[in-house]
Amino acid sequence: MDLKDVVRKPPLRAPPLRRIRAALAQYLLHDELQEEIILLRRMFVIMAVAALVGIPGALWVQAPDYDPLDRVVLPLCGLMYLVLLITVLSGRVDPRRAFVLSFLTNASYLLLAYNHQFRVFAPQYGVLSQSTYWFAVLYVAAFLIFPTRLARYFVRGILGLTIAITLGHLLLTPELLRSRELLGGIIQFLLAGVVLTSMQSRFGTLRDRLSAVQIAASCDALTGAANRRAAEEHLQALHRAGEPYTVILFDIDHFKGVNDEHGHATGDLVLVNVTRSARQLLPDSALFARWGGEEFLIVLPALPKEEVYELLRTLRGQLRHQSFGPQEGVTACFGVAHARPGETPEQIVARADAAMYARKNRGRNGVEFSTMTPETAAHLMP
């Protein structure tokens, strides 16, 4: 994720719906670190399981006198959570999209329930129903899950619709105003919503500032790729989790000659466009990092040798036939190492590095797969 993605804003005069679409698109489409995607997936799984347990429980409590709204909406919500849970666990749906859909579904249900209680619950009991407690959870969840700008749009929309529903019923049904207990509950509910969303908005702004600092510390300023520190942390996280992975280390051939012949501006353009080409080609689960100078590191899920070679063959072809200002194409040497049980990240990177230099010694513009043992690689580590 680039630092510019944190601070970019749509034009101030853009229509509200366009600004909301822009904020939503930025959230769904920007590059996210793999650790954050894993965390979001876990969060959604926990939430979906809780919903799949809570929805039947809510219907069981109401039996046999089901609320007319709950009888229809709650089973549909449960079906939605079941489908999303399966597709998120299988990797077919990005957890960010699942969160957006489930959040909007939950908000719609609460707004429908709030509107419904003015016709059924409030006139009979003179108080708001217990479902209004969940609005506070919804407001907090918006700022925990989504970027602050998108969360503001969501909660302001929900709060605005809540106020509109309230005023509509009070104007159309004046007898509701006669119940001081109901009127006091409504005022407290709306004021609490305003205060809570304002506080969360402030905390969200502070979180964005902290996030910008963290991004600056983990991203390469020139290319926008992850830096070496972020890559090392990612490798350690995979190692702790015991997940298999593949490391690719590559170095642009004769890069010093590009700088000498065309200047450092062209060299920078090469680095930026190599990063762009690689990130567009790699799967979402991959991490791409600038390891240092003209050297880059790719971390992939454990893939067969044939798939890795085909991916790198495509990348090499793109780089070879791409124009970088006055520089017509570049080549690179790639070293590939698959993680082995018990092997440390330092050992696998050392094996990938040795394979890359073996490729250089045998001729540039190629791919070399490591056959070195972890014990031998340990002697190569600094």
Side-chain angles (χ1 to χ4, degrees):
M1 182 168 59
D2 298 342
L3 179 59
K4 61 185 180 182
D5 289 331
V6 178
V7 298
R8 183 186 300 144
K9 295 182 180 180
L12 294 177
R13 295 184 179 180
L17 289 179
R18 184 180 300 176
R19 279 183 277 167
I20 294 173
R21 286 198 298 267
L24 185 59
Q26 181 178 324
Y27 170 66
L28 294 175
L29 299 177
H30 79 266
D31 294 332
E32 195 75 81
L33 293 178
Q34 182 63 15
E35 290 89 343
E36 296 180 5
I37 293 294
I38 293 173
L39 177 61
L40 285 174
R41 184 179 293 113
R42 290 174 180 171
M43 287 175 58
F44 182 80
V45 169
I46 293 172
M47 185 182 74
V49 170
L52 290 173
V53 172
I55 288 174
L59 292 173
W60 176 78
V61 169
Q62 295 181 20
D65 299 322
Y66 296 104
D67 181 271
L69 177 67
D70 289 348
R71 191 199 321 246
V72 176
V73 176
L74 286 183
L76 292 177
C77 290
L79 179 61
M80 178 205 69
Y81 272 112
L82 180 61
V83 172
L84 286 178
L85 179 62
I86 294 172
T87 53
V88 167
L89 286 175
S90 65
R92 287 179 288 176
V93 171
D94 189 309
R96 291 172 292 186
R97 296 183 181 275
F99 267 121
V100 170
L101 181 57
S102 59
F103 180 86
L104 294 178
T105 299
N106 291 335
S108 299
Y109 167 71
L110 287 180
L111 288 169
L112 288 172
Y114 184 68
N115 178 71
H116 179 65
Q117 68 177 285
F118 277 102
R119 300 182 179 182
V120 179
F121 194 87
Q124 183 175 356
Y125 298 101
V127 293
L128 295 177
S129 72
Q130 297 175 350
S131 64
T132 54
Y133 300 158
W134 287 96
F135 276 90
V137 177
L138 201 65
Y139 296 147
V140 173
F143 286 96
L144 290 177
I145 298 171
F146 305 117
T148 300
R149 186 156 58 94
L150 182 60
R152 284 196 187 109
Y153 290 138
F154 281 157
V155 299
R156 287 172 182 173
I158 295 169
L159 189 58
L161 289 172
T162 305
I163 294 173
I165 291 171
T166 303
L167 293 177
H169 281 287
L170 292 180
L171 292 174
L172 294 175
T173 315
E175 54 267 25
L176 293 175
L177 296 172
R178 299 171 186 169
S179 173
R180 292 187 178 181
E181 186 175 1
L182 174 60
L183 191 59
I186 292 173
I187 293 173
Q188 295 285 353
F189 166 66
L190 295 178
L191 287 177
V194 172
V195 172
L196 183 59
T197 54
S198 298
M199 293 174 60
Q200 288 296 319
S201 180
R202 175 57 179 165
F203 286 131
T205 300
L206 296 176
R207 184 191 65 180
D208 285 350
R209 293 176 182 173
L210 176 61
S211 178
V213 173
Q214 291 175 330
I215 291 170
S218 62
C219 286
D220 177 62
L222 174 64
T223 63
N227 59 19
R228 183 165 183 155
R229 172 185 172 182
E232 289 174 341
E233 291 177 353
H234 179 70
L235 288 170
Q236 289 295 338
L238 292 174
H239 180 66
R240 289 192 298 269
E243 297 184 18
Y245 58 94
T246 299
V247 167
I248 302 169
L249 203 61
F250 74 93
D251 184 275
I252 300 173
D253 295 333
H254 308 297
F255 185 73
K256 184 177 183 300
V258 175
N259 282 329
D260 292 343
E261 182 177 355
H262 302 295
H264 288 279
T266 299
D268 289 347
L269 181 63
V270 169
L271 297 175
V272 169
N273 285 342
V274 165
T275 299
R276 181 179 295 114
S277 296
R279 293 172 76 175
Q280 289 176 348
L281 183 64
L282 295 173
D284 294 338
S285 55
L287 178 133
F288 184 83
R290 187 179 179 189
W291 195 243
E294 68 274 19
E295 200 170 56
F296 296 90
L297 181 133
I298 302 171
V299 183
L300 293 169
L303 295 176
K305 180 178 179 179
E306 296 76 14
E307 291 187 26
V308 175
Y309 185 82
E310 182 62 25
L311 185 150
L312 296 182
R313 186 189 67 81
T314 304
L315 177 59
R316 288 167 56 210
Q318 290 185 2
L319 300 182
R320 184 69 184 85
H321 298 97
Q322 188 175 159
S323 295
F324 306 92
Q327 175 67 31
E328 290 295 330
V330 295
T331 60
C333 291
F334 295 80
V336 184
H338 298 285
R340 295 164 178 166
E343 190 174 25
T344 66
E346 293 79 11
Q347 287 174 321
I348 184 175
V349 171
R351 289 200 296 113
D353 185 66
M356 180 184 70
Y357 277 96
R359 178 68 253 186
K360 284 179 178 288
N361 294 332
R362 294 202 302 114
R364 307 269 176 164
N365 187 27
V367 179
E368 186 82 15
F369 287 83
S370 174
T371 57
M372 185 182 297
T373 64
E375 291 74 20
T376 304
H379 296 292
L380 299 175
M381 293 172 5

